[in-house]
Amino acid sequence: MSTASASSSGGADDAPDNRPDTPPGRRLEPDLRSMTRINLRPIASPMPLGFFTVAIASVMTGCLQLGLFETEARGAVALCVPPAFALQFLVSVLAFGARDVIAATLMGIFAGSWLAYALVMFSGTADGLRVLGVFNLALLCFGALMTAVTRPKRALWLVLAVSLPRWAATGLSGLTGAEWLTRTSGVLGLLVALVAIYAAFALMLEDMRGEEVLPIGRSGPAHAAVEGDLAVQLRNLERQAGVRRTL
């Protein structure tokens, strides 16, 4: 997180610019760069919490799709999902504060999807599965776009890549009612859970030991952000959201 502040001890530089070439009625702002300080507040990485939440919610919904729960258990499963919305929403907010727009956007969309699922399933409306089918196909379009920008963050990319076929299977099963697509979506849900658990565990080990223990596969800017020095972290900081004047 970052905040920008300006301070000065006063002097001639703070006075309005009275140069002869200044247009009448206009006041030029002094150059504040020498007086500006940008304060960064380090936070713990919220991503392990986000991935563990994805895993738990995916297990619950996957088991329902595989028929391990009776149809009457839909309401109970729906009540298990809202905590996933709350926790992933928190992860998204913290990721925005940590200046990671990719992780924040992805976790925010995941949070919204869990809330929508919980509300539709708990309501028990007759056409709820078809509505969720269209919703999951919309998620599929979003995920396809996100895969193009998340590749350097290999853990996020892998969870997203496994989620894509699940969203496709869930969407088509909701629209067609095909039982085999529902079962396929359940299996893919358990696969998403396994990938998310691995990513969460690897990130927790890395944070505790201060070095990569299990391979995550960062590359490009994501690798430089972890392995680079402080100068890499502060590069172009003045142009980032929360520091510049406008988004």
Side-chain angles (χ1 to χ4, degrees):
M1 298 183 181
S2 62
T3 57
S5 60
S7 60
S8 174
S9 58
D13 290 341
D14 298 327
D17 194 326
N18 297 319
R19 292 179 300 177
D21 58 346
T22 302
R26 295 190 62 183
R27 178 182 182 278
L28 296 182
E29 294 183 358
D31 189 350
L32 301 178
R33 286 176 293 182
S34 62
M35 301 182 287
T36 301
R37 299 294 182 268
I38 298 174
N39 303 312
L40 302 179
R41 185 173 68 187
I43 63 172
S45 173
M47 296 310 297
L49 174 61
F51 285 134
F52 274 130
T53 305
V54 169
I56 294 172
S58 296
V59 167
M60 298 304 298
T61 57
C63 288
L64 179 64
Q65 292 174 314
L66 287 172
L68 300 180
F69 301 135
E70 299 295 333
T71 305
E72 293 76 13
R74 285 182 178 177
V77 172
L79 290 176
C80 292
V81 173
F85 157 73
L87 292 175
Q88 286 198 289
F89 180 75
L90 173 62
V91 171
S92 177
V93 172
L94 293 174
F96 275 119
R99 302 177 294 136
D100 193 334
V101 67
I102 294 177
T105 301
L106 189 58
M107 287 296 164
I109 294 296
F110 269 122
S113 68
W114 293 127
L115 180 61
Y117 174 88
L119 292 176
V120 172
M121 294 297 286
F122 188 75
S123 67
T125 55
D127 219 22
L129 292 180
R130 289 181 61 83
V131 171
L132 285 178
V134 175
F135 182 76
N136 277 275
L137 291 180
L139 282 177
L140 177 64
C141 296
F142 157 79
L145 294 175
M146 286 295 291
T147 54
V149 295
T150 56
R151 185 175 293 274
K153 297 176 174 291
R154 198 57 56 87
L156 272 175
W157 181 86
L158 190 57
V159 172
L160 186 59
V162 180
S163 298
L164 290 180
R166 193 199 184 191
W167 287 333
T170 303
L172 293 176
S173 67
L175 293 177
T176 64
E179 189 68 20
W180 70 273
L181 283 173
T182 302
R183 298 288 187 261
T184 300
S185 179
V187 173
L188 290 172
L190 298 183
L191 182 59
V192 169
L194 289 175
V195 174
I197 287 174
Y198 173 83
F201 186 63
L203 290 174
M204 287 186 68
L205 285 178
E206 180 182 81
D207 189 68
M208 288 187 298
R209 301 189 182 182
E211 60 181 3
E212 185 178 279
V213 179
L214 296 176
I216 299 178
R218 290 188 184 93
S219 62
H223 178 76
V226 175
E227 302 296 335
D229 56 19
L230 185 60
V232 174
Q233 310 305 306
L234 302 181
R235 186 180 301 160
N236 296 325
L237 183 62
E238 69 275 10
R239 297 182 180 86
Q240 296 186 8
V243 178
R244 63 177 187 258
R245 180 170 295 182
T246 178
L247 295 177

